[in-house]
Amino acid sequence: MSSLKQIANDLGLSVASVSNALSGKGRVSPAVTKRVLSRANELGYKPNAAARALKTGRSHILGFVLPDITHPLFAKFAQGIESAADAVGYGVLIADSRDDGNGQAAAITRLVQRGVDGLVIVPRRGSTLTAQSIPMAVINSQSDPMNTVSANHFQGGMLAAETLLKLGHNHFLLLGADSLSDVQKERIAGMQRALSDQAKYKTIWADKMKIDIATLHDEGITAVIAVSDLSALNIMSSAHQVGLKIPEDLSVVGFDDLPICKVISPQLSSLAPDVQEIARQAIEFLCLSIDGAEQLPKSNVINMSFISRDSTASPTRK
Amino acid sequence: MSSLKQIANDLGLSVASVSNALSGKGRVSPAVTKRVLSRANELGYKPNAAARALKTGRSHILGFVLPDITHPLFAKFAQGIESAADAVGYGVLIADSRDDGNGQAAAITRLVQRGVDGLVIVPRRGSTLTAQSIPMAVINSQSDPMNTVSANHFQGGMLAAETLLKLGHNHFLLLGADSLSDVQKERIAGMQRALSDQAKYKTIWADKMKIDIATLHDEGITAVIAVSDLSALNIMSSAHQVGLKIPEDLSVVGFDDLPICKVISPQLSSLAPDVQEIARQAIEFLCLSIDGAEQLPKSNVINMSFISRDSTASPTRK
DNA sequence: TTGTATGCGTTATCAA
DNA sequence: TTGATAACGCATACAA
């Protein structure tokens, strides 16, 4: 590989001048700058990352810790984080904690040892994070005291419920999947807030109780708001199995606006988090923190938006 | 942060001895080794990654380039690669090329500049890779001359077809999604090979022609082998929409064994690639290549297995 | 404007 | 068995 020394030798200059010419920091004559630039170009010179990191103390690498990259929402975050980081000159090292508390802690220490400048963490549900020796940004939910930025799950829940209310529904199933998840609890709470005194509803956590969609429909339920697209998909296919039509007999909404929403039919309406913006803010926070900003932004929350597709409609009167 | 020098000063030793004691390479008295180890432990000493990388020329970081981490199959690979790499002491930097040819090339150069020791690449379909200056392993398909290791898509296609033949089906729909994908072409070719002279079949590429599952069923088709779980899911929901029962009226099989297979009902039968093994071999290849092995393993292909769930059954006679 | 010198933390060579 | 020292490639304070 070519190095500063290489260029300096070729041109009969000192490494310092070459370094200055390339960085534009020191004072170098235009003539020298030009020669250096052209030679660097010829050689395809790229600064050695390790040397720079050693000298400056910054690796320009971030670590991204997440519970399970196989989960489509986390994958979206990975994509967002990677592109936001790239935009400001950082690379990202991933660490899948495989949905395991020890895994999460181990992943963090591994990354720190690799010399990352900061960490973005999507914590495993129910886990508690201990403050680290390096800057970190947490993407979780409003109720997490460590939260840096996240979707506004509560508002998302409200918006879902309000949208269906406007369509004329007045008897709801609110469907949770994992009763330990703060994110899901906030979504459900938002739904309940919007619905209280406005409509009848029943909340069921699928991890605690079997759901029988046929009976629920017989009881008069015309709309299901599921806490994730995956549960929504699950309900949709069960409904199909027992002969219920969507959206004629049942409107269904999911959360997260995953790619599958568009591959199934009817296409699934969903609440979309602004992943790009969440990722951007997480990275911005991290950069500030790395650069030693005296005061950092407070925990922030980004509104979700309703993506209307074919799984929602006004209830058909009978 | 603590350093070798720190430990050396504390103990009145030279850095060299401390380094040797810690690495176990040089000859150091047991007494000194013991003192060094205990002091290092007290200080929580971790070697500085940048310094080590600078000195040794190895960053112990690999780059993983993939078309779209949002796609569930690629996410599975990301997980497999990360854990296989971790197992042999490598970290992995991700680069999502966002399904864009330029993006792919740019991602590769970015990673090289960051000083990765090698690259694992899942190429964008239809793209051609140029050999790089650093070791690389390619995960694609048998027909790619650069392929290092991949699933045996052809055998997977055959196995899918054979399994349904055994169930008694004799009229098939072979469903492709992207006619430019080598992977999909090989899967379809495998199906056709197994089916020729054994059964009737019709091959349709969904990117070229609209599919009307009701009519196809009327024509006598009782089984659909889709080239991916996503297309299978798509067909399943369309079938449900027109009142076809699965698996009574139609058996459906997908490919890749994605997590969604289990969230829908009926649960989807699928052909599973051995992602762990593919990832392991890719990493193994890369390690050999990085360590300068004189001869590297030839391109290899790993058989797929049939995961039987509820979407497949013997056809019901009428 | 340019060059010299030093150090970042580690490994490795060579003397002592 | 241990220690002094150089080198990896770069950035910077300082001298020329």
Side-chain angles (χ1 to χ4, degrees):
Chain A
M1 269 319 264
S2 58
S3 63
L4 290 185
K5 189 197 275 182
Q6 158 97 318
I7 300 179
N9 284 344
D10 290 3
L11 264 41
L13 294 168
S14 72
V15 270
S17 296
V18 177
S19 173
N20 285 333
L22 253 20
S23 68
K25 289 199 172 177
R27 287 147 294 273
V28 190
S29 72
V32 167
T33 305
K34 200 176 154 198
R35 290 168 62 209
V36 168
L37 252 40
S38 105
R39 185 69 187 137
N41 207 27
E42 282 170 35
L43 292 173
Y45 168 78
K46 301 295 171 213
N48 179 297
R52 182 171 276 180
L54 176 57
K55 179 62 189 174
T56 63
R58 310 247 96 99
S59 62
H60 280 270
I61 294 191
L62 265 23
F64 182 42
V65 181
L66 77 178
D68 176 11
I69 195 157
T70 264
H71 186 294
L73 177 60
F74 299 147
K76 272 180 86 168
F77 274 114
Q79 191 175 61
I81 290 292
E82 197 250 340
S83 88
D86 182 54
V88 293
Y90 279 88
V92 6
L93 224 33
I94 50 162
D96 186 323
S97 66
R98 288 175 169 270
D99 233 328
D100 163 354
N102 296 342
Q104 179 171 289
I108 292 176
T109 56
R110 252 159 44 209
L111 289 173
V112 172
Q113 286 180 32
R114 288 202 183 280
V116 299
D117 293 338
L119 249 24
V120 178
I121 304 182
V122 177
R124 190 174 88 93
R125 62 145 189 62
S127 72
T128 45
L129 283 169
T130 52
Q132 283 311 117
S133 50
I134 64 167
M136 54 188 256
V138 175
I139 301 178
N140 189 16
S141 86
Q142 223 162 347
S143 63
D144 181 342
M146 302 282 285
N147 192 59
T148 303
V149 56
S150 71
N152 193 338
H153 304 292
F154 187 87
Q155 168 271 343
M158 285 190 64
L159 179 56
E162 286 161 358
T163 306
L164 287 171
L165 275 175
K166 278 195 196 116
L167 284 174
H169 293 273
N170 56 25
H171 199 163
F172 292 78
L173 169 62
L174 311 184
L175 180 60
D178 181 344
S179 49
L180 293 178
S181 158
D182 285 343
V183 165
Q184 298 191 10
K185 280 189 275 191
E186 284 182 30
R187 289 173 177 180
I188 294 269
M191 301 171 203
Q192 292 172 337
R193 163 73 61 84
L195 255 29
S196 63
D197 308 325
Q198 304 275 336
K200 283 178 68 179
Y201 64 84
K202 181 173 221 165
T203 307
I204 299 184
W205 291 93
D207 57 345
K208 294 185 153 177
M209 191 192 293
K210 192 84 188 136
I211 46 180
D212 174 355
I213 190 62
T215 316
L216 290 165
H217 180 256
D218 288 345
E219 291 172 6
I221 281 174
T222 59
V224 180
I225 312 180
V227 95
S228 84
D229 288 337
L230 265 24
S231 338
L233 178 55
N234 187 267
I235 268 290
M236 278 176 74
S237 49
S238 313
H240 276 142
Q241 290 287 95
V242 298
L244 293 172
K245 295 259 180 239
I246 295 166
E248 294 81 357
D249 300 323
L250 209 59
S251 283
V252 179
V253 186
F255 264 79
D256 297 339
D257 192 34
L258 303 178
I260 17 162
C261 289
K262 285 187 277 199
V263 339
I264 56 181
S265 72
Q267 294 193 1
L268 178 62
S269 300
S270 187
L271 279 111
D274 189 345
V275 170
Q276 286 287 93
E277 180 60 14
I278 293 170
R280 201 192 58 72
Q281 290 195 19
I283 295 298
E284 185 180 63
F285 176 93
L286 220 41
C287 288
L288 285 171
S289 177
I290 290 169
D291 295 342
E294 51 316 322
Q295 64 176 4
L296 295 167
K298 289 302 299 169
S299 169
N300 192 20
V301 117
I302 316 280
N303 279 356
M304 305 188 79
S305 46
F306 190 91
I307 309 292
S308 179
R309 300 205 179 85
D310 310 327
S311 67
T312 44
S314 292
T316 54
R317 299 278 156 214
K318 36 185 163 186
Chain B
M1 267 318 265
S2 57
S3 64
L4 290 183
K5 189 198 274 183
Q6 159 97 319
I7 300 179
N9 285 343
D10 290 3
L11 264 44
L13 294 168
S14 71
V15 272
S17 294
V18 176
S19 173
N20 285 333
L22 252 21
S23 68
K25 288 196 170 177
R27 284 148 297 272
V28 189
S29 71
V32 167
T33 305
K34 198 176 157 199
R35 288 169 63 209
V36 168
L37 253 40
S38 104
R39 185 70 187 135
N41 206 26
E42 281 169 36
L43 292 173
Y45 167 79
K46 301 295 173 214
N48 178 297
R52 180 172 276 180
L54 176 59
K55 181 63 187 171
T56 63
R58 302 241 159 299
S59 63
H60 281 271
I61 294 191
L62 264 23
F64 182 42
V65 180
L66 77 178
D68 177 11
I69 196 158
T70 265
H71 186 295
L73 178 60
F74 298 147
K76 272 180 85 168
F77 274 114
Q79 190 175 63
I81 291 294
E82 197 250 342
S83 87
D86 182 55
V88 293
Y90 279 88
V92 5
L93 225 32
I94 50 163
D96 186 323
S97 66
R98 288 177 168 268
D99 232 329
D100 163 354
N102 296 342
Q104 180 171 291
I108 292 175
T109 56
R110 251 159 44 210
L111 290 173
V112 172
Q113 286 179 33
R114 288 202 183 279
V116 300
D117 292 338
L119 249 25
V120 179
I121 303 182
V122 177
R124 190 175 87 94
R125 61 148 187 61
S127 72
T128 45
L129 284 169
T130 54
Q132 284 311 116
S133 50
I134 63 166
M136 53 189 256
V138 175
I139 302 178
N140 189 17
S141 85
Q142 221 162 349
S143 63
D144 181 341
M146 303 281 286
N147 191 60
T148 304
V149 57
S150 72
N152 193 339
H153 304 291
F154 187 87
Q155 168 270 342
M158 286 190 63
L159 178 56
E162 286 161 358
T163 307
L164 287 171
L165 275 175
K166 279 197 197 114
L167 284 174
H169 293 271
N170 56 27
H171 198 165
F172 292 79
L173 169 62
L174 311 185
L175 180 60
D178 180 344
S179 49
L180 293 177
S181 158
D182 284 343
V183 166
Q184 297 190 12
K185 282 189 274 192
E186 284 181 31
R187 288 172 178 182
I188 295 270
M191 300 171 203
Q192 291 173 335
R193 163 72 63 82
L195 255 29
S196 65
D197 309 325
Q198 304 275 337
K200 283 178 67 178
Y201 64 85
K202 180 174 225 164
T203 306
I204 299 184
W205 291 92
D207 56 346
K208 295 186 153 178
M209 190 191 294
K210 191 83 191 138
I211 46 180
D212 174 354
I213 191 63
T215 316
L216 290 165
H217 181 255
D218 288 345
E219 290 172 7
I221 281 175
T222 58
V224 180
I225 313 181
V227 95
S228 82
D229 288 336
L230 264 24
S231 338
L233 178 54
N234 186 267
I235 268 289
M236 277 176 74
S237 48
S238 313
H240 276 142
Q241 291 288 96
V242 299
L244 292 172
K245 296 257 182 241
I246 294 167
E248 294 81 357
D249 300 321
L250 208 59
S251 282
V252 179
V253 186
F255 264 79
D256 296 340
D257 193 33
L258 303 178
I260 16 161
C261 290
K262 284 186 276 199
V263 339
I264 57 182
S265 72
Q267 295 194 1
L268 178 62
S269 300
S270 187
L271 279 110
D274 189 344
V275 171
Q276 285 286 93
E277 180 60 14
I278 293 170
R280 200 192 60 72
Q281 291 195 20
I283 295 298
E284 183 180 63
F285 177 93
L286 220 41
C287 288
L288 285 170
S289 179
I290 290 169
D291 295 342
E294 49 319 318
Q295 64 175 3
L296 295 168
K298 289 304 296 171
S299 168
N300 193 19
V301 118
I302 315 280
N303 279 356
M304 305 188 79
S305 46
F306 190 91
I307 309 291
S308 181
R309 299 204 179 87
D310 308 328
S311 67
T312 44
S314 293
T316 52
R317 297 280 157 209
K318 34 186 161 187

